[in-house]
Amino acid sequence: MTNTCSRRNERGVAFPSPIVMLSIVAVAMAGFAFVATKDRPVDERRVTTTSASQTPAPVATAPVSPTKTPKPKPVIKRGEVYVEVFNNSGIKGLAATTAAKATQVGWQVVGEDNWYGVIPASTVYYPERLKAAAKQLALDLGISRTGLAVEPMKMDRLTIILTADAA
């Protein structure tokens, strides 16, 4: 037996897949579009949509300046806000004197005592919801400093801590 193998001549052209062909065409078209539009100015327009039930707004003939309505100041009812007064100075009776002044103006003083700690200046401390009341109390008593209340202060009232500058 003779082995007669014949060799095939497999020369020919292999066509690329359709995806490769589409990719080449897309790149060519993008290049053409880039070259054709590269020196063109950009046109931007605002597009608004209206439905059939909406009517276009009339065009104003004179410019309208917005009027600012003043923000209403919160109404502070002094008699409804609890106040505690603490003395952080060596001056006897300072808390009692200040508590009496606050009561005369209409604040509801519910306590007075000594404060042990370091406070740099007389201060009205407040929980966030009583910020406006704290500023008013400070004005009423001539105290120039206010600040957010911290522990161990009670969070349902204003706390005044007096130092020697309040005398």
Side-chain angles (χ1 to χ4, degrees):
M1 296 211 172
T2 58
N3 192 356
T4 56
C5 288
S6 63
R7 287 183 134 189
R8 284 190 194 176
N9 188 356
E10 294 188 18
R11 289 186 185 171
V13 178
F15 291 106
S17 71
I19 295 176
V20 173
M21 292 300 289
L22 288 174
S23 298
I24 292 170
V25 170
V27 169
M29 289 177 65
F32 177 74
F34 175 74
V35 170
T37 60
K38 72 177 181 179
D39 293 328
R40 211 167 164 202
V42 177
D43 291 335
E44 292 184 8
R45 291 182 227 158
R46 173 177 241 160
V47 177
T48 58
T49 59
T50 58
S51 67
S53 64
Q54 292 178 338
T55 58
V59 178
T61 55
V64 178
S65 62
T67 57
K68 292 185 178 180
T69 56
K71 199 175 189 181
K73 292 186 178 182
V75 177
I76 300 165
K77 297 179 181 172
R78 290 177 176 94
E80 294 179 8
V81 179
Y82 295 144
V83 178
E84 286 186 318
V85 184
F86 292 95
N87 187 353
N88 192 43
S89 72
I91 303 167
K92 278 192 167 196
L94 183 59
T97 305
T98 304
K101 285 181 193 176
T103 302
Q104 281 180 330
V105 182
W107 295 96
Q108 187 174 351
V109 178
V110 294
E112 53 189 72
D113 203 352
N114 291 321
W115 184 267
Y116 300 100
V118 179
I119 304 296
S122 295
T123 308
V124 176
Y125 291 96
Y126 59 90
E128 188 60 41
R129 67 180 184 82
L130 293 175
K131 183 176 183 177
K135 291 189 181 291
Q136 185 61 53
L137 177 61
L139 283 172
D140 289 349
L141 299 177
I143 297 173
S144 60
R145 191 167 180 247
T146 60
L148 278 171
V150 294
E151 291 295 328
M153 297 173 192
K154 296 179 180 162
M155 296 299 162
D156 65 339
R157 61 194 66 192
L158 301 176
T159 303
I160 303 171
I161 300 179
L162 302 166
T163 60
D165 68 340

